[in-house]
Amino acid sequence: MSDSNLHQNTSEDQGVPSGAPATTGTAPAPENVPGEGEHKSKTFTRRSVLAMAGCGVASLVVGGVLASWGVTSKSIASGRIEIRTTPTKMIVTDRARCSGCQRCEMACTLKNDGRVCQHIARVRVWPNYNFGTNVGSTDGAYGNCEFTVEHCKQCEDPACMNYCPVHAIYADEKSGARKVDADRCIGCGMCSQACPWNMPVVDSETGVSTKCISCGRCAEQCPNGAIKFIDWEDIAQKVIDQGVVRTTTLVQA
């Protein structure tokens, strides 16, 4: 994540007003029409809750649902906190909590690559470690010590996937994260060039592009809670209890 200027640009690039995080599309209509007398209780999910709320993450913030994770409208508007959504997760990054220890980078590559290699880490602190996004940003080690935690945005319409000449990037059916098929990838680097944030990186040892798959290892290993992967299901009941969603019973075939 970045300072407020970069945060605003990021939102505009995705077609979202500054300060209002995007959701990953609207909830679909029920797939099946239940027959008479066939209704039964349904487990609350991200899709059903958003369908009931008629709103996205912004309403969850306004309703105080995400307050327990330190998420407020003010913190988002200031650029301190960024929220990204996937079909199964909400990714919250808090610059004020980041100490710059870079443990997230080490944990990421140890899990996904079997070695510590900062260059191919899918979550990054080091590029803006000293001065922030630029020398005058007052961020980083020589400024206010608020470090920028960068990660894949898991775009709804990902440029990396669109520009891959061999179609090696795909959306995982289970998590919704954009992943690289190592068997197809030819290491051309087009995905990195197409991405506005240069998130994919070609591993010089394997010749294959790497990118974040929302595995959550960085969040697990962050000692300060600067990165959080929140399950949509974790907030469903909270949404109902606080009145963001008015209906309390869902049905399905």
Side-chain angles (χ1 to χ4, degrees), residues 3 7 15 39 45 51 53 67 79 81 108 114-115 121 144 149 166 177 183 191 201 208 217 233 241 251:
D3 62 17
H7 181 78
H39 291 78
T45 66
I81 285 182
C108 171
R115 70 188 196 277
N144 58 17
V149 183
V166 293
D183 293 330
C191 53
V201 174
V208 173
R217 185 65 172 172
E233 287 76 6
D241 293 342
V251 294

Side-chain angles (χ1 to χ4, degrees), residues 5-25:
N5 289 335
L6 183 57
H7 181 78
Q8 292 174 359
N9 291 337
T10 298
S11 299
E12 292 168 1
D13 288 341
Q14 298 300 315
V16 181
S18 174
T23 62
T24 54

Side-chain angles (χ1 to χ4, degrees), residues 106-159:
M106 292 186 288
C108 171
T109 54
L110 273 175
K111 176 175 182 177
N112 292 290
D113 305 290
R115 70 188 196 277
V116 173
C117 183
Q118 190 179 58
H119 174 67
I120 58 173
R122 294 143 178 83
V123 58
R124 300 172 199 159
V125 178
W126 62 268
N128 305 319
Y129 189 84
N130 289 327
F131 297 103
T133 53
N134 58 70
V135 175
S137 71
T138 72
D139 294 326
Y142 298 126
N144 58 17
C145 288
E146 284 194 0
F147 302 102
T148 302
V149 183
E150 295 181 337
H151 56 84
C152 176
K153 317 303 180 184
Q154 301 296 352
C155 304
E156 183 176 5
D157 185 27

Side-chain angles (χ1 to χ4, degrees), residues 16-233:
V16 181
S18 174
T23 62
T24 54
T26 56
E31 294 180 359
N32 299 308
V33 179
E36 186 177 350
E38 294 179 355
H39 291 78
K40 62 182 179 179
S41 297
K42 177 182 178 181
T43 301
F44 295 119
T45 66
R46 174 257 183 178
R47 291 179 180 274
S48 57
V49 168
L50 289 188
M52 295 163 67
C55 58
V57 176
S59 291
L60 303 182
V61 175
V62 172
V65 174
L66 297 180
S68 59
W69 287 282
V71 179
T72 64
S73 297
K74 183 178 180 180
S75 63
I76 293 174
S78 69
R80 192 196 104 194
I81 285 182
E82 181 184 45
I83 298 178
R84 288 286 165 181
T85 64
T86 74
T88 58
K89 299 285 185 179
M90 295 178 63
I91 306 172
V92 179
T93 51
D94 188 341
R95 301 175 69 235
R97 287 178 174 269
C98 180
S99 64
C101 70
Q102 299 169 281
R103 185 180 296 183
C104 56
E105 298 173 347
M106 292 186 288
C108 171
T109 54
L110 273 175
K111 176 175 182 177
N112 292 290
D113 305 290
R115 70 188 196 277
V116 173
C117 183
Q118 190 179 58
H119 174 67
I120 58 173
R122 294 143 178 83
V123 58
R124 300 172 199 159
V125 178
W126 62 268
N128 305 319
Y129 189 84
N130 289 327
F131 297 103
T133 53
N134 58 70
V135 175
S137 71
T138 72
D139 294 326
Y142 298 126
N144 58 17
C145 288
E146 284 194 0
F147 302 102
T148 302
V149 183
E150 295 181 337
H151 56 84
C152 176
K153 317 303 180 184
Q154 301 296 352
C155 304
E156 183 176 5
D157 185 27
C160 62
M161 185 168 69
N162 294 339
Y163 282 86
C164 178
V166 293
H167 308 292
I169 300 178
Y170 64 98
D172 182 74
E173 291 184 1
K174 182 177 180 180
S175 68
R178 280 52 174 153
K179 294 185 176 181
V180 177
D181 184 337
D183 293 330
R184 279 179 171 246
C185 179
I186 59 175
C188 66
M190 281 294 295
C191 53
S192 180
Q193 295 181 48
C195 174
W197 305 275
N198 302 117
M199 287 292 105
V201 174
V202 176
D203 186 339
S204 59
E205 288 193 14
T206 64
V208 173
S209 179
T210 66
K211 65 177 300 296
C212 174
I213 57 173
S214 294
C215 69
R217 185 65 172 172
C218 55
E220 294 171 1
Q221 294 298 311
C222 178
N224 303 316
I227 308 171
K228 296 181 177 69
F229 278 59
I230 304 169
D231 289 335
W232 281 101
E233 287 76 6

